[in-house]
Amino acid sequence: MAGPLRTAEPSAPPPAPGGRRGGLSGYLLLLPGGVWLALFFVVPTATLVATSLYDPSGSLQLGYRMTGHVQNYADSLQDYAPQLVRSFVYAGTATLACVVLGFPLAYAIAFKAGRWKNLMLVAVIAPFFTSFLVRTLSWQYILGDNEALVSFLRAVRVLGEDGHLLATPFAVVTGLTYNFLPFMVLPLYASLEKIDHRFLEAAADLYSSPFTAFRTVTLPLAMPGLVAGTLLTFIPSAGDYINSELLGNPQTRMVGNEIQDLFAAGDYPTASALSVTLMAAIVLLVFVYVRRSGTEELV
Amino acid sequence: MSQESAPQGAGADLVLSGLTKRFATFTAVDDLDLRVPQGSFFALLGPSGCGKTTTLRMVAGLEEPTAGTITLGTDDITHLKPYKRPVNTVFQSYALFPHLSIAANVAFGLRRRGRKQVAEDVERMLDLVELTGLADRRPAQLSGGQQQRVALARALINQPRVLLLDEPLGALDLKLRRQMQIELKRIQTEVGLTFVHVTHDQEEAMTMADTVAVMNAGRIEQLGPPEVLYECPATTFVANFLGQSNLVAGRVVGGSGVSGGGDGGDVVLDVHGATVRADRARAVVAQGDVWVGVRPEKVVLAPAGVAPPEPAGNCLRGGVVSDVSFVGVSTQYLVRMPWGQELTAFSQNSGHHERLRTGAAVDLHWSPAHTFCLDASQDAAAGVEPEDR
Ligand SMILES: Nc1ncnc2c1ncn2[C@@H]1O[C@H](COP(=O)(O)OP(=O)(O)OP(=O)(O)O)[C@@H](O)[C@H]1O
Ligand SMILES: [Mg+2]
């Protein structure tokens, strides 16, 4: 008859009073973040996945039926595989361009800027004070057919007589690069800035020329920043549609453009299936990337 | 010391001539002249901030000298890039590469010079510094003393012509430190490398080095074998920094002229009314006012008026024991003299004489052979370590 008494604390080992309280307050502290995550990440993701399995013959007006229609994925892939691949190619190219432009910049700010350091950092962040849309629109002018840049490039024969920049893949990648460059520079700067100058002296003492020291010491120590920077540029670039919308043409459409159009047209199941595919592909790529670039060289 | 023609035998001596380093207006190293013979163990000893690290950095090529030259054998390396110098450094701050394993840290220099097979050498080196089995760890996973030994291994493995050691044993406990001192000394004699060893620790400098240079405020105060430095300090700074000294104001009253003036070559001094003798050879100054010096362990205390067990020669009377501290192997006495100065005497606890008590009236006895005379214009407290004051 001791049953009900015992079930009060079923088989839990008697915890140390302090540990018990610590555990409880730990969970309490997690609560706000947990609620936030549940509300704005778990629920939407679950809804998205659910929507991607709706019967595609429904509509917003008539309502959708949950039929577990996995075929949505195959259909969306069949129709939009080129855009998906293009998204990754553009995002990859833009990320590469961000590394090429961002690394020297971050390096210069960290090691060579002296008292200009803070000013240069502010300059990196300054574009955020204006809207993303306005900044992208301004590239329409910069790359426009009647503007100075194109005229100049035509004059020096880099572009043909009727060559243009706007509405080309080049313009889209340029826009992506421009918009996400700060997300590359800032984490890179943070990593580089932390590198103790004495490591480079030790490398020099141990027969490393400045270039070798860069390759064997500076670069590995900057890896965390490089990984963070590439993720912060690649992931949003892959899902972006503004740059393609404003600077591209129908042949440069990215998967984001298609998803946006599908939602606008009310084809929720296909749009959701495409979104889930994009998300899964990014997660997979990032996972492989972090695995390969990570652990070995990271501190 | 302008460009001495290097004799043939002294193939790869490290020679610093007129070496100077100024940071803005502050002179960290001041017109330094130094010859470190090839294959010798050379210790650079001096208080914090006297320019030891700066000197090493110039030799390593990490700091550009303001003036002067550095030559290694016949090569002028003053302006050579650090990675082209046959010189390696054990850094005061270790500067181990945090992203590399211990093994990779140690192998770094060999790899940069194109060696492929390094595993064996690395293992041998890690054995030598007693870090066997830690090869795969990262520097952050080692204790301070272990990191220091990795820094040592990382430099030693390259067998440079000159190894610069910037307080390489500072973080080790006494036992390991003694052990590593012996190990270092053994490696140095075995491999015949030139070691320039920077240290705060005078005992370490004296036990390990063939030659000790005492540095102060960017200059070399005195340079020589440890025994000579200890027995015949040339300046008050060396007298106080290397061990302790009693320095008493005195005046030369005889024996300064022709040697053998009836005094057996000794300088005769007047010290607060008492007559004291000093070995002529040990008097840096033998005229006028001087500091008369004697090491505390050379002083024998005897109760006032009683002759010491063995006649010593010099005697100062009228002292009163003001402090007695027992330190195991010896007892340290502070004796207040009639003119107010406190002198120090160490007495071995050999059990042959009874311990004196505070307040006892004593005489100080010591031999003229242990007396030295220094320039009276120097500060008698120069080089006294703060805790000794
Ligand atoms: N880059 C620098 N700029 C200005 N002053 C410096 C610089 N490097 C060293 N100094 C000064 O030069 C002096 C000598 O420094 P150094 O590091 O050579 O001392 P040290 O003898 O190695 O001292 P420690 O025993 O404490 O290591 C110090 O007073 C220091 O403040
Ligand atoms: Mg130093």
Side-chain angles (χ1 to χ4, degrees), chain A residues 199 201 204-205 207-208 216 296, chain B residues 57 83 88-89 96-97 99:
Chain A
F199 296 146
E201 290 187 343
D205 190 64
Y207 314 105
S208 303
T216 54
E296 191 55 43
Chain B
R57 285 173 61 82
Y83 57 92
N88 285 118
T89 310
L96 300 179
F97 303 119
H99 59 294

Side-chain angles (χ1 to χ4, degrees), chain B residues 23 26 28 46-55 63 92 166-167 200:
Chain B
F23 295 108
F26 178 78
S48 185
C50 72
K52 305 182 297 289
T53 298
T54 308
T55 306
E63 206 85 68
Q92 193 166 13
D166 199 348
E167 308 202 17
H200 274 122

Side-chain angles (χ1 to χ4, degrees), chain B residues 301-304 318-325 332-337 342-343 355-364:
Chain B
L301 293 185
V320 176
V321 176
S322 60
D323 187 61
V324 181
S325 43
Q332 304 191 357
Y333 296 99
L334 278 185
V335 180
R336 182 166 290 280
M337 300 310 291
E342 275 190 329
L343 300 182
R355 200 164 323 144
L356 296 157
R357 293 178 189 287
T358 310
V362 291
D363 297 336
L364 282 69

Side-chain angles (χ1 to χ4, degrees), chain B residues 352-376:
Chain B
H352 291 320
H353 34 253
E354 60 185 301
R355 200 164 323 144
L356 296 157
R357 293 178 189 287
T358 310
V362 291
D363 297 336
L364 282 69
H365 301 270
W366 76 96
S367 155
H370 295 145
T371 314
F372 50 86
C373 301
L374 302 175
D375 186 351

